[in-house]
Amino acid sequence: MGITVAIENLKNEPTPGTSRVHGIHDYLYQFFGSSSIDYEIKTENELPPSLKNINKSCIKVPENTTAEELEACFTASPNQDYIEIDGHFNGILSTNSVIYGAKHLRVIFRGDHGDEILLRFKGNRLQFHLTKFHDSTICQFLKEWKSNQEFQNLKSLVINSYDYKNYDAAELLKDIDVRQLDKAEDILHINWRMSISFPSAMMVGCFPLKSFPSSFESRDYLIRDDDGEKASVFIEDDDVRFALWKGNSSVMKTIDR
């Protein structure tokens, strides 16, 4: 695993080719290389310059940031393992944003709708906090996954709307072919790991925690039409959770109650 290096509290300087930030990053990359290093960029209420060879980005977006300004942060490193968007993010991304293609995307979007981000996402794992969705969007997502029209790469989705929205499982699932385990006493417990940004205090450390466990239990599941792929779904109060039974990071087991 090697060492993970984070660069924090960056200034978005007007001449990135000669900026201090670029100089520091180039020096670190030249010294450590890339074989065993994860490079993460983390900012607080400012946009970072676009740097090469970045694996993770954790950005607290400043006020009045446009979609184009946010997109420019990822020009030099478009294919990232983990992106976290927080701060004064208004939920608007460029139409073909590279953020939609992040393997793991975490969005903290206080009280507004995240519908467009969900429907455009192309990566593996997606997580929303403090974000609400129209019921029609949740239904569209489930139907498009089941029919194999979209979301072929998706392995898990977690929505925590908290006090902003509650969801009615019976209403959302009434027109979808939802299966249940044969025995009422059986339940599926789905486990996977979601990437995280490591703690701010850990600027450089050996073997930092790179992911955290996520899980849920449910008897309800869907079967994708074309290939028979299975995914469990859980909808209750302000939570919506969805995960494949199998995949690189997912483990399924049946728990008898």
Side-chain angles (χ1 to χ4, degrees):
M1 295 174 62
I3 301 173
T4 301
V5 178
I7 306 172
E8 298 188 273
N9 299 323
L10 303 177
K11 298 296 183 182
N12 193 15
E13 301 180 22
T15 54
T18 59
S19 70
R20 176 176 56 87
V21 171
H22 275 77
I24 293 172
H25 178 63
D26 290 345
Y27 173 80
L28 289 172
Y29 189 78
Q30 184 177 15
F31 184 81
F32 288 110
S34 61
S35 59
S36 60
I37 303 299
D38 286 337
Y39 291 92
E40 175 178 340
I41 192 165
K42 182 181 292 188
T43 67
E44 293 281 343
N45 298 315
E46 56 186 332
L47 295 178
S50 183
L51 301 175
K52 295 180 180 179
N53 306 302
I54 297 296
N55 306 101
K56 294 183 177 183
S57 292
C58 181
I59 300 176
K60 284 196 173 182
V61 180
E63 290 184 279
N64 303 317
T65 298
T66 67
E68 292 74 19
E69 289 171 335
L70 183 58
E71 188 70 15
C73 301
F74 301 93
T75 302
S77 296
N79 302 311
Q80 297 194 22
D81 292 334
Y82 175 81
I83 294 177
E84 179 178 319
I85 305 295
D86 194 357
H88 296 281
F89 177 52
N90 61 10
I92 300 175
L93 299 176
S94 299
T95 302
N96 297 312
S97 174
V98 298
I99 296 174
Y100 294 129
K103 290 182 180 179
H104 292 204
L105 176 61
R106 185 169 184 251
V107 179
I108 302 170
F109 185 31
R110 292 166 177 78
D112 285 313
H113 286 91
D115 302 69
E116 185 173 345
I117 297 175
L118 170 57
L119 295 178
R120 291 179 181 270
F121 184 65
K122 303 299 181 184
N124 298 148
R125 302 200 182 278
L126 180 58
Q127 190 172 48
F128 291 96
H129 292 275
L130 303 170
T131 310
K132 60 185 178 182
F133 293 82
H134 293 99
D135 289 352
S136 59
T137 299
I138 303 297
C139 293
Q140 180 180 343
F141 159 72
L142 293 172
K143 290 177 180 178
E144 289 185 351
W145 180 87
K146 188 179 185 309
S147 63
N148 208 21
Q149 293 178 344
E150 299 289 346
F151 309 108
Q152 288 86 356
N153 298 324
L154 187 69
K155 295 179 181 178
S156 64
L157 166 69
V158 174
I159 295 172
N160 299 120
S161 294
Y162 295 95
D163 295 334
Y164 296 108
K165 178 71 181 284
N166 279 347
Y167 302 95
D168 185 339
E171 182 66 23
L172 292 177
L173 300 175
K174 67 179 182 180
D175 295 325
I176 300 173
D177 183 17
V178 178
R179 311 289 183 90
Q180 286 192 330
L181 297 179
D182 294 334
K183 297 180 180 180
E185 65 270 19
D186 287 348
I187 191 168
L188 289 178
H189 186 89
I190 312 298
N191 298 288
W192 71 95
R193 299 193 70 86
M194 180 78 182
S195 290
I196 58 172
S197 170
F198 51 76
S200 299
M202 189 181 298
M203 291 293 292
V204 179
C206 293
F207 306 106
L209 183 66
K210 293 185 177 182
S211 63
F212 68 92
S214 294
S215 65
F216 68 91
E217 298 179 359
S218 178
R219 294 187 63 232
D220 298 331
Y221 66 95
L222 304 177
I223 300 178
R224 193 155 59 192
D225 294 340
D226 290 348
D227 57 10
E229 188 76 79
K230 298 180 179 67
S232 285
V233 59
F234 171 85
I235 301 174
E236 184 176 286
D237 297 330
D238 54 10
D239 277 345
V240 176
R241 296 174 184 251
F242 171 97
L244 302 192
W245 285 9
K246 58 185 178 181
N248 291 336
S249 304
S250 296
V251 177
M252 181 277 291
K253 61 180 180 180
T254 301
I255 298 177
D256 295 325
R257 284 186 168 178

